Amino acid sequence: MKVKFLIVLSLAVVALMSACGKSDADLQKAVATKLAADNVTGVTATVKDGVATLTGEVADITVKNKAAASARTVEGIKSVTDNTTMRPVPTPVPAPADPMLQGKVEEDLKKAGCTGAIVTIASGTVTLTGTVPDAKYAECVKVVNESGAGKLDNKLVRGK
Amino acid sequence: MALQEKYQTLLELANQNGTSYELSEGDGVLHINGTAPSEEAKQQLWDEYNRIDPDYRGGDLMLNVSVGGAAAGGGGGHTYTVESGDNLSKIGEKYGVTWQQIYQANQDILKDPDKIFPGQELKIPGA
């Protein structure tokens, strides 16, 4: 019981001490300034009892991460509740028609020296099979990634 | 949104090394289309991709990053001479690229994306 009392007491002291620090309004201003300095846009911070709550819609996960990390670095902020949402991303540009895509991928693979790669395409999804020289493996995958295909089902085997 | 989480270090890296990108997502695949400032920057992204997904077997990412700017070496880019009244967004619209992509490709001559001057020759990255 004594231990429990001591814990409660020390918590109370900590709470009291932090209450003597900056006010929530000051902290809120500091967080806003920090977010702006770090080029985080679209995020609003409110601070209550030293806890910063972030809201708003951000472009992608990197902005979300950055916002939370920035807020955390502000002195006096005890914790950060991240309620930001990520803007829905659009659907990709449709892949070229299969025969066209097939022609392009095969030609680009040939140019890249990916002999041995076999291309089959269905509804914009490229399936790569066969064995390609080990040194060319990454390049062959790159070619398909940069072809405008919707998806890559990579079953390539590394040869010698 | 889980895909953005899976590849978040890749996206962070793109931000760090000056690659401008746009995301799209469909059919369980995250598409990252972008322009890297150099071959080296592009390779960094591919190295990170390979770290997250060794041998690129996951089938849930399409990483389509071209190299913009001078390093492109005829990769479909153009040169545009700035006229009075132009801004990067307006120029971008003409070529179907974002102002960010033009800015990234011309960071050697542009300090501020809002300040361009008639007569300046801008590299337009391939759309």
Side-chain angles (χ1 to χ4, degrees):
Chain A
M1 282 313 263
K2 225 178 193 178
V3 175
K4 230 180 206 173
F5 175 71
L6 276 176
I7 291 171
V8 171
L9 188 73
S10 54
L11 278 176
V13 168
V14 168
L16 209 71
M17 274 166 66
S18 56
C20 294
K22 286 181 187 166
S23 73
D24 284 343
D26 288 342
L27 287 172
Q28 189 164 311
K29 219 178 273 175
V31 173
T33 307
K34 177 69 180 156
L35 290 176
D38 289 343
N39 289 321
V40 174
T41 50
V43 177
T44 310
T46 49
V47 176
K48 193 169 185 292
D49 300 330
V51 177
T53 302
L54 305 180
T55 51
E57 195 179 66
V58 295
D60 65 28
I61 195 161
T62 62
V63 185
K64 192 177 173 69
N65 290 344
K66 200 166 156 191
S70 292
R72 247 176 243 124
T73 62
V74 175
E75 210 187 317
I77 292 295
K78 282 184 248 169
S79 69
V80 173
T81 307
D82 180 9
N83 289 342
T84 58
T85 53
M86 288 188 278
R87 192 177 303 152
V89 295
T91 51
V93 178
D98 290 349
M100 232 167 95
L101 188 58
Q102 176 108 24
K104 180 174 168 48
V105 171
E106 281 179 349
E107 193 183 322
D108 291 350
L109 283 172
K110 202 171 149 190
K111 266 190 226 158
C114 300
T115 40
I118 301 158
V119 181
T120 43
I121 299 185
S123 310
T125 295
V126 174
T127 303
L128 278 186
T129 50
T131 305
V132 293
D134 186 39
K136 295 282 181 191
Y137 180 86
E139 197 54 40
C140 304
V141 173
K142 254 183 224 177
V143 163
V144 179
N145 271 262
E146 293 168 3
S147 66
K151 192 171 182 165
L152 167 61
D153 188 5
N154 176 22
K155 293 174 180 159
L156 273 184
V157 176
R158 286 176 187 269
K160 291 205 168 148
Chain B
M1 288 310 161
L3 283 174
Q4 278 194 43
E5 269 161 50
K6 178 173 176 185
Y7 292 106
Q8 59 181 307
T9 52
L10 181 56
L11 296 171
E12 305 271 4
L13 187 62
N15 283 331
Q16 281 163 24
N17 74 16
T19 301
S20 58
Y21 62 84
E22 277 176 13
L23 300 177
S24 55
E25 199 175 321
D27 197 17
V29 182
L30 179 68
H31 291 245
I32 303 177
N33 291 312
T35 310
S38 64
E39 278 294 342
E40 193 192 356
K42 177 179 169 178
Q43 192 53 47
Q44 284 175 346
L45 299 178
W46 275 92
D47 289 345
E48 181 60 16
Y49 181 13
N50 194 35
R51 192 190 65 77
I52 300 168
D53 179 6
D55 282 358
Y56 323 104
R57 301 267 184 215
D60 55 6
L61 179 70
M62 290 300 262
L63 180 60
N64 184 359
V65 173
S66 56
V67 176
H78 301 271
T79 307
Y80 176 82
T81 308
V82 177
E83 289 167 17
S84 168
D86 276 343
N87 59 50
L88 291 186
S89 305
K90 221 163 119 182
I91 299 168
E93 272 172 33
K94 286 184 195 173
Y95 292 94
V97 297
T98 64
W99 70 262
Q100 288 93 337
Q101 285 172 307
I102 301 179
Y103 181 53
Q104 291 289 353
N106 292 279
Q107 283 194 324
D108 48 340
I109 55 169
L110 298 181
K111 296 247 150 44
D112 181 340
D114 291 327
K115 287 184 184 145
I116 57 172
F117 303 100
Q120 266 179 334
E121 296 213 330
L122 300 180
K123 296 177 281 280
I124 310 293

